[in-house]
Amino acid sequence: MEFSSAADTITPGQPIRDGETLISSSQRFELGFFSPGNSNNRYLGIWYYTISPKAVVWVANRNIPIADKSGVLTVLNGNLVILNQDKRIIWSSNSSRLPENPVAKLLDSGNFILREDIDTFENYMWQSFDYPSDTLLTGMKLGWNLKTDFQRTMTAWRSASDPAPGNFTLRLEKNDGPELVISTPSKKVARSGPWNGFQFNGIPMMHNLIFKPDLVHNEDESYYMYDVFSDTVVTRLILDPSGSIQRLIGTRGTENGIVCTLGYDICDHYAECGANGNCRIGKTGMSGRVLEELCMQRFLESGYRGKGSGCLMWFGDLTDMKECSEGFTGDRIFLYEFQLQN
């Protein structure tokens, strides 16, 4: 198929059929229908244009696949919709604000947006970044809009051949000390430790040339995100079907760089030792978080923060204290006893 200069957009009169794709303006991302793994089911997704095999970063119709190649993505009554072989709507953006002259565009960030045709600002009626699948891209927010109580979470695929929501989710808890939590429908599995103003205090942090993590926590929003220092770097965070977090790093045109698995040892299991317990895995043990540091050495120029560290005050029971092995820099704990007087 020959693509025009508008190959990154669709309008009500320009649908995308199975076999046709959108490509972002700088050819970073591609949108179209695909079959994952050894499945014959068809899904609408977004993947890196320059990386082979397909590195899918977002899926629309995760729960309702199409059995053949009759799928169509179009703009109908102001919403993005997917039609199956019976011309029945199987997925919709369900935007609460409908544009009068809608246009959908695939951006170079990997974000797929719906907006007014004449609107050049980031005034989107709907965006895929608000509905993550198993992947967090540069510039995506993981967390909360506190004004509307809207939450953005990551959900693992069921398997490599099935992008339906699996058992594991990654979310940001919106408490006074925001932290990342991996959970199943029945329990918390692991967590990062609260943000102390500089980092999540359960995850070692270091200066690097690849990406910069950030956490915004104010009266309007509470979210985690990261940004890259160079546009030549490709990096993404994935929650895999087993519940582990992976950081993939490469350059444009390849992802044969580093695959870092942020797994968790027994001391990273939530409430493993109960309230005020101290988990000790032994000097020979190595957690997935330490492994992350080691496997990124080829890309990173590391060195800990020399301007001091954050401070977090805690009242009541303290859960998930962990004695760290050598090479793992954690936070010091100071215990004080307060006596309240009338």
Side-chain angles (χ1 to χ4, degrees), residues 143-200:
W144 296 83
N145 180 327
L146 298 178
K147 285 188 172 181
T148 62
D149 206 39
F150 177 76
Q151 184 182 20
R152 306 173 188 90
T153 63
M154 291 168 58
T155 308
W157 286 24
R158 189 170 295 169
S159 70
S161 298
D162 186 357
N167 288 327
F168 295 95
T169 61
L170 177 64
R171 57 187 171 84
L172 184 75
E173 286 201 335
K174 57 173 183 178
N175 45 36
D176 291 334
E179 60 182 345
L180 298 175
V181 175
I182 300 174
S183 61
T184 67
S186 60
K187 65 178 182 178
K188 291 182 180 179
V189 177
R191 61 179 182 171
S192 65
W195 184 266
N196 61 17
F198 293 89
Q199 64 186 55
F200 293 110

Side-chain angles (χ1 to χ4, degrees), residues 2-3 7 18 71 89 113 121 141 144 149 152 185 203 209 218 288 305-306 317 327 330:
E2 295 294 329
F3 291 98
D18 197 319
I89 296 175
I113 64 167
F121 299 97
K141 298 177 181 180
W144 296 83
D149 206 39
R152 306 173 188 90
I203 299 179
L209 299 178
N218 55 42
R305 307 181 180 273
D317 289 338

Side-chain angles (χ1 to χ4, degrees), residues 26-29 47-55 230-236 249-257 299:
S26 294
Q27 297 188 335
R28 293 193 176 190
F29 289 94
W47 55 86
Y48 287 103
Y49 179 67
T50 57
I51 294 176
S52 182
K54 280 186 176 68
S230 171
D231 286 342
T232 63
V233 172
V234 174
T235 182
R236 56 191 172 115
I249 304 172
T251 56
R252 291 192 63 182
T254 179
E255 202 177 51
N256 296 326
F299 277 92

Side-chain angles (χ1 to χ4, degrees), residues 18-33:
D18 197 319
E20 303 172 341
T21 62
L22 299 182
I23 301 174
S24 65
S25 60
S26 294
Q27 297 188 335
R28 293 193 176 190
F29 289 94
E30 187 172 15
L31 178 146
F33 290 92

